[in-house]
Structure formats: C-alpha cells, structure tokens
C-alpha cells in the first residue's frame, strides 16, 4: 500500500510559479512510475507529467516548456515545478503512483492550484 500526500498548491497570479511536492510512503518508491494529473471543474482528470522509474519524463503538450517533473528517490518525493502559469492551469492537481511491474495504482487527495488573470 502506497500513501501519497501532495503539498504546495495555492493562489498565484498569471505568469507566476509554484512547486508541488508529493511525499510517498509504503512500497519501494524507486520502483514506481510517478505522475501528476489535474482536474478542472466539470472536466475529466488528465495527465500533466510523468516520470518513470527509469527517470524518463513525458509531458502534456499544454505544459511542455513550462512545467518540470522530477523525483528524489532518497526522499521518496516527486515534484512538479510550474512556471509561467496561466489561468487555464487552474485545477486540482493529483499525485499518482504506479508500480513499474504490477501496475498497482495509488492516488493522493489532491492540492488546489488557482491562477488568477
């Protein structure tokens, strides 16, 4: 069982930056693919960025060049650095963990990010 706790959300003006953190406990962190998803009101939950257990990263087209996902396996933590934020980035951001072999999946409770224009 993996527990995920997100932090770092908040209110920021357009053009600003935030850094989200997701602390994991349980399981072997380094064996998990980690991802950030977001869900805006009335919309589906979409993947924003993924960092695989290998360290390879993927990004949604809408955030390429602005967001950076990283992981610190020694601290069991994954980060999402968000720069040049836009009002359309407003959403609840969720941390996701998926085992590299079994695909067992876990979610955090989410953290709100609000970008004002």
């Amino acid at each position: 069982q993996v527990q995920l706790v997100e932090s770092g959300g908040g209110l920021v003006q357009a053009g600003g930056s935030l850094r989200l953190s997701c602390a994991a406990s349980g399981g072997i962190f380094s064996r998990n693919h980690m991802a950030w998803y977001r869900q805006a009101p009335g919309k589906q939950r979409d993947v924003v960025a993924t960092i695989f257990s290998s360290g390879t990263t993927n990004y949604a087209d809408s955030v390429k060049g602005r967001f950076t996902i990283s992981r610190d396996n020694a601290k069991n933590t994954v980060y999402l650095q968000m720069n040049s934020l836009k009002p359309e980035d407003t959403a609840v951001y969720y941390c996701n963990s998926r085992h590299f072999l079994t695909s067992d999946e876990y979610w955090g409770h989410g953290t709100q990010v609000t970008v004002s224009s």
Side-chain angles (χ1 to χ4, degrees):
Q1 190 94 11
V2 175
Q3 293 81 41
L4 303 172
V5 178
E6 302 100 333
S7 61
L11 173 64
V12 64
Q13 288 188 333
S17 299
L18 282 174
R19 189 175 84 153
L20 305 183
S21 299
C22 172
S25 59
I28 301 176
F29 181 77
S30 62
R31 294 182 181 178
N32 296 326
H33 304 318
M34 303 298 298
W36 288 96
Y37 285 71
R38 68 186 180 187
Q39 187 168 20
K43 295 189 176 182
Q44 67 181 21
R45 189 177 297 186
D46 291 323
V47 62
V48 173
T50 303
I51 184 164
F52 297 93
S53 57
S54 64
T56 301
T57 58
N58 277 342
Y59 296 93
D61 287 343
S62 59
V63 306
K64 281 181 181 176
R66 299 189 298 122
F67 290 10
T68 302
I69 189 171
S70 61
R71 64 192 297 161
D72 185 336
N73 288 340
K75 295 183 178 180
N76 291 356
T77 301
V78 63
Y79 304 97
L80 185 68
Q81 178 67 44
M82 305 186 294
N83 298 328
S84 303
L85 282 161
K86 304 175 181 180
E88 51 263 44
D89 294 319
T90 295
V92 178
Y93 283 70
Y94 296 91
C95 182
N96 173 273
S97 171
R98 181 165 55 88
H99 192 272
F100 84 108
L101 197 58
T102 67
S103 293
D104 289 343
E105 193 172 35
Y106 300 92
W107 293 91
H109 291 294
T111 185
Q112 176 71 46
V113 172
T114 303
V115 184
S116 63
S117 57

PDB file of all heavy atoms in Angstrom, residues 34-55:
ATOM      1  N   MET A  34       5.816   7.695 -11.407  1.00  0.00           N
ATOM      2  CA  MET A  34       5.083   8.763 -10.717  1.00  0.00           C
ATOM      3  C   MET A  34       4.540   9.760 -11.738  1.00  0.00           C
ATOM      4  O   MET A  34       5.192  10.034 -12.756  1.00  0.00           O
ATOM      5  CB  MET A  34       5.994   9.484  -9.724  1.00  0.00           C
ATOM      6  CG  MET A  34       6.625   8.579  -8.677  1.00  0.00           C
ATOM      7  SD  MET A  34       5.412   7.774  -7.616  1.00  0.00           S
ATOM      8  CE  MET A  34       4.642   9.193  -6.841  1.00  0.00           C
ATOM      9  N   ALA A  35       3.380  10.293 -11.456  1.00  0.00           N
ATOM     10  CA  ALA A  35       2.773  11.235 -12.392  1.00  0.00           C
ATOM     11  C   ALA A  35       1.964  12.285 -11.645  1.00  0.00           C
ATOM     12  O   ALA A  35       1.529  12.062 -10.508  1.00  0.00           O
ATOM     13  CB  ALA A  35       1.870  10.497 -13.381  1.00  0.00           C
ATOM     14  N   TRP A  36       1.785  13.397 -12.292  1.00  0.00           N
ATOM     15  CA  TRP A  36       0.866  14.439 -11.846  1.00  0.00           C
ATOM     16  C   TRP A  36      -0.290  14.511 -12.841  1.00  0.00           C
ATOM     17  O   TRP A  36      -0.065  14.545 -14.061  1.00  0.00           O
ATOM     18  CB  TRP A  36       1.556  15.792 -11.761  1.00  0.00           C
ATOM     19  CG  TRP A  36       2.507  15.903 -10.629  1.00  0.00           C
ATOM     20  CD1 TRP A  36       3.854  15.710 -10.656  1.00  0.00           C
ATOM     21  CD2 TRP A  36       2.192  16.259  -9.277  1.00  0.00           C
ATOM     22  NE1 TRP A  36       4.396  15.895  -9.410  1.00  0.00           N
ATOM     23  CE2 TRP A  36       3.387  16.247  -8.536  1.00  0.00           C
ATOM     24  CE3 TRP A  36       1.000  16.583  -8.617  1.00  0.00           C
ATOM     25  CZ2 TRP A  36       3.448  16.548  -7.178  1.00  0.00           C
ATOM     26  CZ3 TRP A  36       1.059  16.887  -7.262  1.00  0.00           C
ATOM     27  CH2 TRP A  36       2.261  16.862  -6.551  1.00  0.00           C
ATOM     28  N   TYR A  37      -1.490  14.519 -12.310  1.00  0.00           N
ATOM     29  CA  TYR A  37      -2.707  14.715 -13.079  1.00  0.00           C
ATOM     30  C   TYR A  37      -3.364  15.998 -12.587  1.00  0.00           C
ATOM     31  O   TYR A  37      -3.065  16.482 -11.492  1.00  0.00           O
ATOM     32  CB  TYR A  37      -3.673  13.548 -12.867  1.00  0.00           C
ATOM     33  CG  TYR A  37      -3.328  12.270 -13.568  1.00  0.00           C
ATOM     34  CD1 TYR A  37      -2.244  11.494 -13.157  1.00  0.00           C
ATOM     35  CD2 TYR A  37      -4.096  11.805 -14.635  1.00  0.00           C
ATOM     36  CE1 TYR A  37      -1.936  10.303 -13.792  1.00  0.00           C
ATOM     37  CE2 TYR A  37      -3.790  10.617 -15.278  1.00  0.00           C
ATOM     38  CZ  TYR A  37      -2.719   9.869 -14.850  1.00  0.00           C
ATOM     39  OH  TYR A  37      -2.414   8.688 -15.481  1.00  0.00           O
ATOM     40  N   ARG A  38      -4.296  16.497 -13.367  1.00  0.00           N
ATOM     41  CA  ARG A  38      -5.094  17.631 -12.911  1.00  0.00           C
ATOM     42  C   ARG A  38      -6.519  17.496 -13.404  1.00  0.00           C
ATOM     43  O   ARG A  38      -6.776  16.882 -14.434  1.00  0.00           O
ATOM     44  CB  ARG A  38      -4.494  18.962 -13.354  1.00  0.00           C
ATOM     45  CG  ARG A  38      -4.529  19.230 -14.850  1.00  0.00           C
ATOM     46  CD  ARG A  38      -3.772  20.518 -15.138  1.00  0.00           C
ATOM     47  NE  ARG A  38      -3.765  20.831 -16.567  1.00  0.00           N
ATOM     48  CZ  ARG A  38      -3.052  21.824 -17.101  1.00  0.00           C
ATOM     49  NH1 ARG A  38      -2.278  22.593 -16.322  1.00  0.00           N
ATOM     50  NH2 ARG A  38      -3.106  22.054 -18.403  1.00  0.00           N
ATOM     51  N   GLN A  39      -7.409  18.085 -12.616  1.00  0.00           N
ATOM     52  CA  GLN A  39      -8.827  18.052 -12.951  1.00  0.00           C
ATOM     53  C   GLN A  39      -9.435  19.406 -12.658  1.00  0.00           C
ATOM     54  O   GLN A  39      -9.469  19.842 -11.504  1.00  0.00           O
ATOM     55  CB  GLN A  39      -9.538  16.962 -12.160  1.00  0.00           C
ATOM     56  CG  GLN A  39     -10.982  16.758 -12.576  1.00  0.00           C
ATOM     57  CD  GLN A  39     -11.573  15.494 -11.979  1.00  0.00           C
ATOM     58  OE1 GLN A  39     -11.074  14.954 -10.993  1.00  0.00           O
ATOM     59  NE2 GLN A  39     -12.631  14.997 -12.595  1.00  0.00           N
ATOM     60  N   ALA A  40      -9.899  20.054 -13.715  1.00  0.00           N
ATOM     61  CA  ALA A  40     -10.596  21.332 -13.579  1.00  0.00           C
ATOM     62  C   ALA A  40     -12.090  21.060 -13.384  1.00  0.00           C
ATOM     63  O   ALA A  40     -12.577  19.985 -13.757  1.00  0.00           O
ATOM     64  CB  ALA A  40     -10.369  22.187 -14.811  1.00  0.00           C
ATOM     65  N   PRO A  41     -12.821  22.001 -12.815  1.00  0.00           N
ATOM     66  CA  PRO A  41     -14.264  21.786 -12.580  1.00  0.00           C
ATOM     67  C   PRO A  41     -14.997  21.414 -13.862  1.00  0.00           C
ATOM     68  O   PRO A  41     -14.828  22.073 -14.895  1.00  0.00           O
ATOM     69  CB  PRO A  41     -14.725  23.145 -12.051  1.00  0.00           C
ATOM     70  CG  PRO A  41     -13.525  23.728 -11.414  1.00  0.00           C
ATOM     71  CD  PRO A  41     -12.369  23.294 -12.270  1.00  0.00           C
ATOM     72  N   GLY A  42     -15.767  20.347 -13.809  1.00  0.00           N
ATOM     73  CA  GLY A  42     -16.552  19.924 -14.947  1.00  0.00           C
ATOM     74  C   GLY A  42     -15.779  19.216 -16.035  1.00  0.00           C
ATOM     75  O   GLY A  42     -16.334  18.919 -17.098  1.00  0.00           O
ATOM     76  N   LYS A  43     -14.498  18.957 -15.784  1.00  0.00           N
ATOM     77  CA  LYS A  43     -13.677  18.312 -16.808  1.00  0.00           C
ATOM     78  C   LYS A  43     -13.115  16.995 -16.280  1.00  0.00           C
ATOM     79  O   LYS A  43     -13.117  16.738 -15.080  1.00  0.00           O
ATOM     80  CB  LYS A  43     -12.544  19.233 -17.241  1.00  0.00           C
ATOM     81  CG  LYS A  43     -13.035  20.498 -17.944  1.00  0.00           C
ATOM     82  CD  LYS A  43     -11.885  21.282 -18.540  1.00  0.00           C
ATOM     83  CE  LYS A  43     -12.381  22.481 -19.320  1.00  0.00           C
ATOM     84  NZ  LYS A  43     -11.260  23.242 -19.947  1.00  0.00           N
ATOM     85  N   GLN A  44     -12.606  16.177 -17.161  1.00  0.00           N
ATOM     86  CA  GLN A  44     -12.025  14.912 -16.753  1.00  0.00           C
ATOM     87  C   GLN A  44     -10.624  15.135 -16.198  1.00  0.00           C
ATOM     88  O   GLN A  44     -10.018  16.175 -16.397  1.00  0.00           O
ATOM     89  CB  GLN A  44     -11.966  13.951 -17.936  1.00  0.00           C
ATOM     90  CG  GLN A  44     -11.000  14.365 -19.051  1.00  0.00           C
ATOM     91  CD  GLN A  44     -10.995  13.382 -20.204  1.00  0.00           C
ATOM     92  OE1 GLN A  44     -11.941  12.619 -20.397  1.00  0.00           O
ATOM     93  NE2 GLN A  44      -9.926  13.379 -20.982  1.00  0.00           N
ATOM     94  N   ARG A  45     -10.154  14.134 -15.477  1.00  0.00           N
ATOM     95  CA  ARG A  45      -8.803  14.187 -14.937  1.00  0.00           C
ATOM     96  C   ARG A  45      -7.812  13.789 -16.038  1.00  0.00           C
ATOM     97  O   ARG A  45      -7.926  12.728 -16.636  1.00  0.00           O
ATOM     98  CB  ARG A  45      -8.688  13.235 -13.747  1.00  0.00           C
ATOM     99  CG  ARG A  45      -7.402  13.362 -12.971  1.00  0.00           C
ATOM    100  CD  ARG A  45      -7.387  12.452 -11.766  1.00  0.00           C
ATOM    101  NE  ARG A  45      -8.445  12.797 -10.809  1.00  0.00           N
ATOM    102  CZ  ARG A  45      -8.560  12.216  -9.608  1.00  0.00           C
ATOM    103  NH1 ARG A  45      -7.693  11.298  -9.234  1.00  0.00           N
ATOM    104  NH2 ARG A  45      -9.551  12.577  -8.802  1.00  0.00           N
ATOM    105  N   ASP A  46      -6.849  14.654 -16.295  1.00  0.00           N
ATOM    106  CA  ASP A  46      -5.883  14.432 -17.359  1.00  0.00           C
ATOM    107  C   ASP A  46      -4.464  14.385 -16.805  1.00  0.00           C
ATOM    108  O   ASP A  46      -4.141  15.101 -15.847  1.00  0.00           O
ATOM    109  CB  ASP A  46      -5.965  15.542 -18.408  1.00  0.00           C
ATOM    110  CG  ASP A  46      -7.253  15.507 -19.202  1.00  0.00           C
ATOM    111  OD1 ASP A  46      -7.740  14.400 -19.492  1.00  0.00           O
ATOM    112  OD2 ASP A  46      -7.776  16.594 -19.521  1.00  0.00           O
ATOM    113  N   VAL A  47      -3.620  13.611 -17.453  1.00  0.00           N
ATOM    114  CA  VAL A  47      -2.223  13.550 -17.047  1.00  0.00           C
ATOM    115  C   VAL A  47      -1.510  14.824 -17.479  1.00  0.00           C
ATOM    116  O   VAL A  47      -1.727  15.341 -18.583  1.00  0.00           O
ATOM    117  CB  VAL A  47      -1.529  12.292 -17.619  1.00  0.00           C
ATOM    118  CG1 VAL A  47      -1.515  12.307 -19.121  1.00  0.00           C
ATOM    119  CG2 VAL A  47      -0.147  12.119 -17.029  1.00  0.00           C
ATOM    120  N   VAL A  48      -0.666  15.323 -16.599  1.00  0.00           N
ATOM    121  CA  VAL A  48       0.110  16.537 -16.863  1.00  0.00           C
ATOM    122  C   VAL A  48       1.560  16.169 -17.178  1.00  0.00           C
ATOM    123  O   VAL A  48       2.135  16.648 -18.148  1.00  0.00           O
ATOM    124  CB  VAL A  48       0.055  17.468 -15.645  1.00  0.00           C
ATOM    125  CG1 VAL A  48       0.998  18.657 -15.826  1.00  0.00           C
ATOM    126  CG2 VAL A  48      -1.367  17.930 -15.387  1.00  0.00           C
ATOM    127  N   ALA A  49       2.140  15.318 -16.325  1.00  0.00           N
ATOM    128  CA  ALA A  49       3.539  14.939 -16.489  1.00  0.00           C
ATOM    129  C   ALA A  49       3.780  13.602 -15.816  1.00  0.00           C
ATOM    130  O   ALA A  49       3.143  13.292 -14.808  1.00  0.00           O
ATOM    131  CB  ALA A  49       4.458  15.997 -15.889  1.00  0.00           C
ATOM    132  N   THR A  50       4.686  12.832 -16.381  1.00  0.00           N
ATOM    133  CA  THR A  50       5.039  11.513 -15.858  1.00  0.00           C
ATOM    134  C   THR A  50       6.544  11.400 -15.762  1.00  0.00           C
ATOM    135  O   THR A  50       7.255  11.868 -16.661  1.00  0.00           O
ATOM    136  CB  THR A  50       4.508  10.399 -16.768  1.00  0.00           C
ATOM    137  OG1 THR A  50       3.093  10.529 -16.905  1.00  0.00           O
ATOM    138  CG2 THR A  50       4.830   9.018 -16.199  1.00  0.00           C
ATOM    139  N   ILE A  51       7.012  10.794 -14.688  1.00  0.00           N
ATOM    140  CA  ILE A  51       8.424  10.433 -14.591  1.00  0.00           C
ATOM    141  C   ILE A  51       8.479   8.947 -14.251  1.00  0.00           C
ATOM    142  O   ILE A  51       7.939   8.507 -13.240  1.00  0.00           O
ATOM    143  CB  ILE A  51       9.186  11.307 -13.582  1.00  0.00           C
ATOM    144  CG1 ILE A  51      10.678  10.958 -13.597  1.00  0.00           C
ATOM    145  CG2 ILE A  51       8.597  11.235 -12.178  1.00  0.00           C
ATOM    146  CD1 ILE A  51      11.557  12.013 -12.937  1.00  0.00           C
ATOM    147  N   PHE A  52       9.075   8.185 -15.141  1.00  0.00           N
ATOM    148  CA  PHE A  52       9.122   6.747 -14.988  1.00  0.00           C
ATOM    149  C   PHE A  52      10.220   6.357 -13.993  1.00  0.00           C
ATOM    150  O   PHE A  52      11.065   7.174 -13.630  1.00  0.00           O
ATOM    151  CB  PHE A  52       9.327   6.092 -16.342  1.00  0.00           C
ATOM    152  CG  PHE A  52       8.194   6.338 -17.291  1.00  0.00           C
ATOM    153  CD1 PHE A  52       8.229   7.402 -18.184  1.00  0.00           C
ATOM    154  CD2 PHE A  52       7.071   5.525 -17.279  1.00  0.00           C
ATOM    155  CE1 PHE A  52       7.174   7.643 -19.053  1.00  0.00           C
ATOM    156  CE2 PHE A  52       6.011   5.753 -18.141  1.00  0.00           C
ATOM    157  CZ  PHE A  52       6.057   6.817 -19.038  1.00  0.00           C
ATOM    158  N   SER A  53      10.181   5.100 -13.578  1.00  0.00           N
ATOM    159  CA  SER A  53      11.190   4.628 -12.628  1.00  0.00           C
ATOM    160  C   SER A  53      12.595   4.767 -13.211  1.00  0.00           C
ATOM    161  O   SER A  53      13.571   4.918 -12.474  1.00  0.00           O
ATOM    162  CB  SER A  53      10.916   3.181 -12.231  1.00  0.00           C
ATOM    163  OG  SER A  53      10.872   2.345 -13.374  1.00  0.00           O
ATOM    164  N   SER A  54      12.688   4.779 -14.540  1.00  0.00           N
ATOM    165  CA  SER A  54      13.979   4.949 -15.224  1.00  0.00           C
ATOM    166  C   SER A  54      14.468   6.394 -15.185  1.00  0.00           C
ATOM    167  O   SER A  54      15.637   6.664 -15.463  1.00  0.00           O
ATOM    168  CB  SER A  54      13.848   4.508 -16.679  1.00  0.00           C
ATOM    169  OG  SER A  54      12.932   5.353 -17.363  1.00  0.00           O
ATOM    170  N   GLY A  55      13.554   7.315 -14.898  1.00  0.00           N
ATOM    171  CA  GLY A  55      13.891   8.735 -14.920  1.00  0.00           C
ATOM    172  C   GLY A  55      13.413   9.449 -16.173  1.00  0.00           C
ATOM    173  O   GLY A  55      13.457  10.676 -16.244  1.00  0.00           O
TER     174      GLY A  55
END
